[in-house]
Amino acid sequence: MTMNDDANRLNNGLIPSSSDGAVKQRTHSKLCRSISSSQNQNGKKGSPESKDFFDGSYFSANESKLKGKALFDYSQPSWAYLYTSCLVVLDVLMTIIGSIITFLIYPDSRFYLQRRAPHNNAILEFILLAICAWIISLLICEAYSRHVMGEGYELYSKILKAALIDFVMICTLGYILKLDIPRSLAFGVPLFTGCLTLLERWLMRRALHYSRRKGEFVYSTILIGSPKAIHQVCKQLQEDSGIGYKPIAVCPVALDKSEKSAQSNTQHLISTPFIPENEEEAKLKVLSVNSHLAETAKIFKAHTVLITDVLSHNSETTRTLSLAVESMGIELAIATSVADLGGASLHFRNDPNMPVLTAKLPQYTTRARILKRVMDIALSIVAIILTGIPMILIAYMIHREDKGPVIFSQKRIGILGRPFIMYKFRSMRPDAEELKAKLAKENGLQDRFIFKMKDDPRITKFGHFIRKTSLDELPQFFNVLKGDMSLVGPRPPLPEEVAKYDTLYSSRLLVKPGITGPWQVSGRSALNKEQSEFADVSYIQNWSFTGDIAILLKTVMVMIRGTGM
């Protein structure tokens, strides 16, 4: 094996860990000197070649390890579900105990409830109401959100706010349901429940920190930044285990300061050597920062990607990395000197030893993904049933016109850059693909992402009709049912279009392509390149169920009017 092979294994995190940190440190040093020497011999003055973040796709070569985990294997570790479940059970218990204490202190309230409903178990009904109100209040105050148990003051502040909301909810529900709840219960139950929950969370927080000092209940983390900053963060995380981040891999990078990079808003990064300073750092894998990082992080079962420095908040590289990581359900944590991410929900973790900002796109949670997929399956089945007879008639008319094939199958690029076969009713001549290059050259459309002509001679007479009404896209409901596409999403691109993507626009590959989407209802081929890019990237950042419904309704209007073609 050559030294260059060793260097490649180092950059991909494949150098095996050694129990002797000094041995691995010498190996790293030897490799780094070899890399530097090799670059000098090639006339590169010791500077590695910078690369764009996007290199053609987002899926990893080892994606087979992720089969069957597309929806559920995300950044929330199994211990977090168990821990949160324990909190919910304890919160219910605190509500019951708080209610019992209130009944004991104010016995008249118990007798009052029994007199108001002598034939019903009024006390049990009130306790169930109090439990629901308290759990909802804690949810509203985000008392079950990630990291809240490690934040101390913020945690207790949320519980106090929840107690106030609980009081309002009990009074409101009592009035709406005409329960005539005594004031002693309306005041006492939230008060005692809140105090007991404060004690419960304090004890659970101490138990969590105790477990983290033993290396348990932690979030596996990948660090991105300069080697100096990575060493510093590793040291801070070892000294303050309460924050809960445990490094498992590093991406040592430097900023390419060449003239070409300076003129671009895309930060071009250079991989730099990482020399471990102790045995703990020697166990870390070394990865490259590129478009495969998000899926690689999933393969390594990482829960967080932490940016320490180098990347600036306003660069296209940071924005694309944010979308790539968060769309995988992996948390993005950012040093406070870096953070400012549009579209993401930012949360400040005010730890005295290491303050960081965590970024989250709420729409890319596991629950949201499941709901979107369920909606795709349900609506596509309904659509196939309702359009079954029209599809048969369309197929007959297409075949009757020129005796050619009914279905047009074409290779398109789906989520993460994976290719799939897309189905449409054929609306063009059978030799349409052969004529495409010639027409593009004649009309000066070689550089456009989306090749469309107003009066395309390849389109058949019946093809004009099904295109104007979008009926040619009906077979794509089968693509949705298979899971290749979604009802709403960016337009499915051709492989040659993906080859022209820049770093930011490549983020459209982070979601499934759709039958309809922002491009289809915003002017279609009338949009220029910049407008098409903005529509797609904006959709990815600001996706919501209500937005999808709005696009579906607007698509119906476009089909009726036949506009946007």
Side-chain angles (χ1 to χ4, degrees):
M1 179 179 294
T2 65
M3 191 62 68
N4 285 334
D5 292 330
D6 282 337
N8 290 332
R9 295 177 66 218
L10 170 65
N11 287 331
N12 289 283
L14 299 177
I15 294 292
S17 300
S18 171
S19 59
D20 184 359
V23 172
K24 188 169 183 178
Q25 183 165 339
R26 288 195 297 272
T27 303
H28 275 73
S29 301
K30 183 179 178 182
L31 288 170
C32 296
R33 287 195 299 270
S34 174
I35 293 169
S36 177
S37 173
S38 174
Q39 289 160 352
N40 282 320
Q41 290 173 2
N42 291 328
K44 296 184 180 180
K45 299 181 182 180
S47 299
E49 181 183 355
S50 65
K51 295 182 178 179
D52 289 335
F53 176 81
F54 179 65
D55 63 357
S57 70
Y58 280 89
F59 63 85
S60 169
N62 295 318
E63 68 172 353
S64 58
K65 298 179 181 180
L66 298 173
K67 284 187 176 179
K69 302 179 181 180
L71 290 176
F72 301 101
D73 193 20
Y74 281 86
S75 67
Q76 195 76 341
S78 56
W79 67 261
Y81 292 107
L82 178 61
Y83 188 83
T84 303
S85 299
C86 290
L87 290 178
V88 173
V89 172
L90 289 173
D91 291 337
V92 170
L93 183 60
M94 295 304 106
T95 308
I96 295 173
I97 296 175
S99 300
I100 292 174
I101 292 175
T102 306
F103 285 133
L104 292 176
I105 296 178
Y106 302 102
D108 291 342
S109 62
R110 176 164 53 89
F111 298 140
Y112 181 82
L113 288 177
Q114 291 175 334
R115 286 196 302 271
R116 295 288 297 176
H119 302 295
N120 299 320
N121 197 336
I123 294 178
L124 179 59
E125 291 178 358
F126 173 78
I127 291 177
L128 291 175
L129 175 67
I131 289 172
C132 293
W134 183 234
I135 298 300
I136 293 173
S137 299
L138 291 173
L139 286 171
I140 292 173
C141 294
E142 299 182 344
Y144 297 109
S145 62
R146 184 169 179 162
H147 299 310
V148 70
M149 288 302 294
E151 294 176 353
Y153 168 78
E154 284 292 328
L155 167 63
Y156 306 133
S157 175
K158 291 178 186 294
I159 293 175
L160 293 176
K161 291 178 182 178
L164 179 60
I165 295 175
D166 188 32
F167 164 71
V168 175
M169 287 190 65
I170 289 178
C171 293
T172 303
L173 291 174
Y175 175 78
I176 293 174
L177 301 177
K178 298 181 180 181
L179 298 179
D180 195 14
I181 299 173
R183 287 190 296 272
S184 56
L185 292 180
F187 280 99
V189 171
L191 175 64
F192 291 117
T193 301
C195 292
L196 289 170
T197 304
L198 284 172
L199 177 62
E200 166 229 318
R201 292 298 179 98
W202 178 75
L203 292 172
M204 289 295 288
R205 184 169 177 266
R206 287 179 63 89
L208 177 64
H209 283 214
Y210 175 76
S211 298
R212 284 179 172 173
R213 285 194 292 270
K214 298 192 300 180
E216 302 171 351
F217 291 2
V218 293
Y219 296 97
S220 299
T221 304
I222 296 176
L223 305 179
I224 301 177
S226 66
K228 180 180 179 181
I230 290 175
H231 290 311
Q232 182 179 357
V233 169
C234 286
K235 183 178 180 181
Q236 288 177 326
L237 294 177
Q238 288 176 1
E239 294 174 350
D240 181 22
S241 59
I243 197 169
Y245 294 135
K246 181 182 179 182
I248 60 171
V250 296
C251 300
V253 294
L255 187 62
D256 178 15
K257 297 182 180 180
S258 65
E259 182 178 352
K260 178 182 177 182
S261 181
Q263 294 175 351
S264 172
N265 193 37
T266 301
Q267 285 185 297
H268 297 280
L269 304 177
I270 302 172
S271 296
T272 60
F274 179 76
I275 303 176
E277 295 182 346
N278 52 53
E279 291 188 5
E280 290 299 319
E281 291 185 2
K283 298 176 183 178
L284 303 178
K285 294 186 178 296
V286 180
L287 307 175
S288 298
V289 179
N290 53 35
S291 54
H292 306 296
L293 178 61
E295 259 209 1
T296 302
K298 286 178 65 178
I299 292 172
F300 286 157
K301 298 183 178 179
H303 310 123
T304 302
V305 172
L306 173 59
I307 301 176
T308 62
D309 65 346
V310 179
L311 290 169
S312 63
H313 72 275
N314 58 349
S315 73
E316 291 186 358
T317 303
T318 304
R319 188 178 175 188
T320 308
L321 174 63
S322 168
L323 289 169
V325 169
E326 295 168 58
S327 68
M328 290 290 178
I330 297 174
E331 178 190 59
L332 182 68
I334 312 140
T336 52
S337 60
V338 176
D340 181 16
L341 298 173
S345 173
L346 298 179
H347 176 70
F348 180 63
R349 299 195 64 193
N350 191 16
D351 188 278
N353 295 317
M354 185 181 171
V356 297
L357 279 169
T358 61
K360 179 183 180 182
L361 291 173
Q363 62 268 40
Y364 290 110
T365 61
T366 302
R367 180 177 59 185
R369 289 172 178 273
I370 293 174
L371 290 175
K372 184 173 174 66
R373 181 60 184 147
V374 169
M375 181 179 73
D376 284 342
I377 293 174
L379 293 184
S380 61
I381 290 175
V382 171
I384 290 171
I385 294 173
L386 294 178
T387 62
I389 294 178
M391 280 197 283
I392 294 173
L393 294 175
I394 292 170
Y396 170 74
M397 294 298 295
I398 293 172
H399 183 71
R400 178 186 176 184
E401 187 170 21
D402 57 13
K403 307 302 180 181
V406 170
I407 298 296
F408 172 68
S409 301
Q410 189 178 46
K411 182 179 179 181
R412 296 292 181 108
I413 303 300
I415 186 170
L416 303 181
R418 297 188 184 99
F420 71 98
I421 301 300
M422 187 187 75
Y423 310 119
K424 296 180 72 173
F425 280 126
R426 184 175 60 83
S427 60
M428 292 185 175
R429 293 165 44 177
D431 59 346
E433 285 300 300
E434 289 75 11
L435 294 173
K436 178 179 177 181
K438 179 182 177 182
L439 291 172
K441 185 177 181 180
E442 291 176 353
N443 292 273
L445 299 175
Q446 300 99 317
D447 296 329
R448 289 205 62 175
F449 278 7
I450 304 167
F451 177 80
K452 279 206 173 188
M453 295 176 59
K454 187 174 182 180
D455 297 311
D456 196 331
R458 301 175 299 165
I459 302 176
T460 64
K461 185 177 180 181
F462 186 70
H464 277 289
F465 169 73
I466 61 175
R467 277 186 162 228
K468 188 173 183 178
T469 55
S470 296
L471 294 175
D472 62 323
E473 298 178 353
L474 289 179
Q476 292 176 26
F477 285 116
F478 291 98
N479 286 116
V480 175
L481 196 60
K482 287 173 58 181
D484 296 328
M485 297 175 62
S486 179
L487 289 174
V488 182
R491 170 185 161 277
L494 294 164
E496 55 266 31
E497 294 172 354
V498 174
K500 300 177 183 178
Y501 285 178
D502 58 22
T503 296
L504 181 59
Y505 195 50
S506 69
S507 61
R508 78 195 300 273
L509 298 177
L510 296 170
V511 298
K512 288 182 180 180
I515 295 178
T516 186
W519 172 77
Q520 286 88 337
V521 299
S522 301
R524 291 196 173 188
S525 55
L527 298 180
N528 59 33
K529 174 185 173 183
E530 290 73 20
Q531 291 170 331
S532 299
E533 290 182 7
F534 178 82
D536 284 338
V537 176
S538 178
Y539 171 81
I540 295 167
Q541 276 195 314
N542 303 298
W543 174 83
S544 66
F545 281 109
T546 54
D548 276 6
I549 293 172
I551 290 175
L552 288 171
L553 293 176
K554 196 171 182 180
T555 300
V556 175
M557 297 304 298
V558 170
M559 291 176 63
I560 293 174
R561 295 197 304 264
T563 59
M565 296 302 293

